[in-house]
Amino acid sequence: MSKVKYYYDSETLSYRKIEKKKGRKLSIFLLSLLGMLLSGFLLLLVYLNLPYVETPKEKTLKRELSNMQLQYDLLNRKMDVAENVLSDLADRDNNLYRVYFEANPISEEQRKAGFGGVNRYKDLEGFDNSKLIATANRRLDILTKQIVVQSRSLDEIASLAEEKEKLLAAIPAIQPVNNEDLTRMASGYGYRTDPFTKARKMHFGMDFTAPRGTPVYASGDGVVTRADNSASGYGNHIRIDHGYGYESLYAHLYKYNNIRIGQKIKRGDLIGFVGSTGRSEAPHLHYEVFKDNERINPINFYYGNLSPEEFADLLKKSQQENQSLD
């Protein structure tokens, strides 16, 4: 039973009963209902995660997500740069390095082999950002594959370059007698008059006239295979095997410079001295070059120590059909 409340009326000097106003309960009820609705609406906004209502945790997660997106964009840019650099390197590899060293180019299929057919990224499916993650992983895998292929190609190029360097050092590419030591270039490669029989016959080398004792130098790296006077007509002579099918011969020597069979020789090494031993009319060096056991014109191999003008002059003299000295 509710308590009855009174108030003092100063006009009548008596206590009067407090009467409850009609509608008060309804007002209280409506205010309570409005409060509950407002609270429910606010809770709903939080639940629906609307952008204008964020909890501290949501703000933290949002910052992390934004940072991850930034890092992903940076990663994509780095991969773009790496792909461009690798593409340029592959282009130079195929069209410059491998052409120079006479190696077959690497096809695009070889560079990207192994990335078709099977789905390699199935384990990454089923997440919110599966496509993004799978795409990034695929690009990285292709880049890694291309780097491995390019690395192996450069290893091959380095090996070919080393072999090319050995080849260039081995080719008999210098004149065996210095220009300042020469009296003249007496006879070249081709048909010449024999000094003894006066008959016209093939002269398979070049004759350089010089005083007896003039130094003779090896025209390329190689190994001495002969240093004797047992070959018909050559007198004291030296034969050097340069490898790659090349050989050189130095005949009519006065003497050797401490040369022995099997000795390794470098281009420019002093190997002997001009003489007139064997079938020779006067002191000179008879010089021959062989390729795959075939005699070839030595004039094509003097690019190592002659200027264009000196070579042109030597070429002109070598083409004159005169008398040889052996």
Side-chain angles (χ1 to χ4, degrees):
M1 182 174 179
S2 59
K3 294 181 179 180
V4 178
K5 295 183 179 180
Y6 297 88
Y7 73 96
Y8 179 74
D9 187 349
S10 57
E11 292 181 358
T12 61
L13 301 176
S14 62
Y15 288 95
R16 291 184 176 273
K17 186 178 180 182
I18 298 175
E19 300 288 342
K20 291 183 179 181
K21 294 181 179 180
K22 294 181 179 179
R24 183 176 178 80
K25 290 185 178 180
L26 180 61
S27 297
I28 294 173
F29 173 75
L30 291 175
L31 286 174
S32 300
L33 180 62
L34 181 61
M36 288 188 291
L37 288 175
L38 183 60
S39 299
F41 179 70
L42 291 174
L43 290 173
L44 181 63
L45 290 179
V46 174
Y47 177 76
L48 293 176
N49 196 24
L50 294 178
Y52 45 82
V53 180
E54 292 182 340
T55 66
K57 184 176 182 180
E58 287 173 329
K59 290 180 179 180
T60 302
L61 291 175
K62 189 174 180 179
R63 283 196 301 269
E64 290 179 359
L65 183 60
S66 178
N67 182 60
M68 287 178 63
Q69 184 64 47
L70 175 63
Q71 295 302 321
Y72 177 75
D73 291 339
L74 291 174
L75 177 62
N76 266 332
R77 291 176 190 173
K78 290 179 180 179
M79 285 194 289
D80 288 340
V81 172
E83 286 171 345
N84 290 333
V85 170
L86 197 56
S87 176
D88 180 63
L89 184 58
D91 182 64
R92 282 185 286 141
D93 184 35
N94 277 347
N95 299 310
L96 181 62
Y97 308 141
R98 301 187 75 82
V99 170
Y100 178 77
F101 293 109
E102 301 176 357
N104 292 326
I106 299 175
S107 67
E108 193 69 15
E109 290 75 18
Q110 286 178 279
R111 292 183 184 276
K112 294 184 178 180
F115 287 95
V118 180
N119 183 5
R120 299 170 176 271
Y121 312 104
K122 190 173 183 180
D123 293 342
L124 300 176
E125 294 177 355
F127 301 97
D128 291 341
N129 298 308
S130 291
K131 186 176 180 180
L132 182 146
I133 297 171
T135 301
N137 274 271
R138 178 179 174 80
R139 290 185 70 185
L140 284 173
D141 286 345
I142 292 175
L143 272 172
T144 303
K145 171 70 175 181
Q146 290 178 319
I147 289 171
V148 170
V149 172
Q150 188 59 63
S151 177
R152 290 174 180 171
S153 177
L154 291 177
D155 288 341
E156 181 184 356
I157 293 299
S159 177
L160 291 171
E162 184 178 353
E163 192 66 20
K164 190 85 169 184
E165 185 177 5
K166 291 179 182 177
L167 168 62
L168 294 175
I171 292 175
I174 65 170
Q175 191 173 275
V177 180
N178 288 334
N179 265 351
E180 56 267 25
D181 296 330
L182 289 178
T183 304
R184 63 190 177 92
M185 204 292 294
S187 183
Y189 180 94
Y191 282 95
R192 302 291 184 269
T193 301
D194 186 282
F196 299 102
T197 66
K198 305 304 178 182
R200 187 171 178 270
K201 71 173 189 178
M202 186 65 184
H203 185 245
F204 289 103
M206 296 185 72
D207 291 342
F208 297 94
T209 58
R212 182 184 179 192
T214 298
V216 175
Y217 303 97
S219 56
D221 295 1
V223 177
V224 176
T225 56
R226 290 191 68 168
D228 56 58
N229 61 1
S230 60
S232 176
Y234 287 139
N236 294 331
H237 70 287
I238 295 171
R239 187 185 287 260
I240 298 176
D241 183 358
H242 301 282
Y244 307 96
Y246 290 100
E247 290 181 282
S248 59
L249 182 144
Y250 314 77
H252 310 306
L253 299 174
Y254 163 57
K255 63 179 181 178
Y256 310 115
N257 184 44
N258 299 319
I259 292 297
R260 65 184 185 279
I261 295 175
Q263 181 178 344
K264 291 183 178 180
I265 297 294
K266 290 290 185 182
R267 178 183 291 152
D269 283 354
L270 176 61
I271 58 175
F273 302 90
V274 170
S276 188
T277 58
R279 192 177 185 273
S280 171
E281 189 179 57
H284 74 286
L285 173 71
H286 175 80
Y287 175 67
E288 294 182 14
V289 173
F290 299 78
K291 180 67 169 74
D292 299 327
N293 296 319
E294 296 288 334
R295 291 182 175 96
I296 56 178
N297 194 344
I299 194 67
N300 299 316
F301 295 88
Y302 296 141
Y303 57 81
N305 66 341
L306 295 181
S307 68
E309 294 77 15
E310 290 173 330
F311 179 79
D313 182 60
L314 183 65
L315 178 62
K316 182 178 179 181
K317 291 177 180 178
S318 71
Q319 292 173 341
Q320 295 174 359
E321 194 167 325
N322 53 11
Q323 178 179 289
S324 66
L325 295 176
D326 46 36

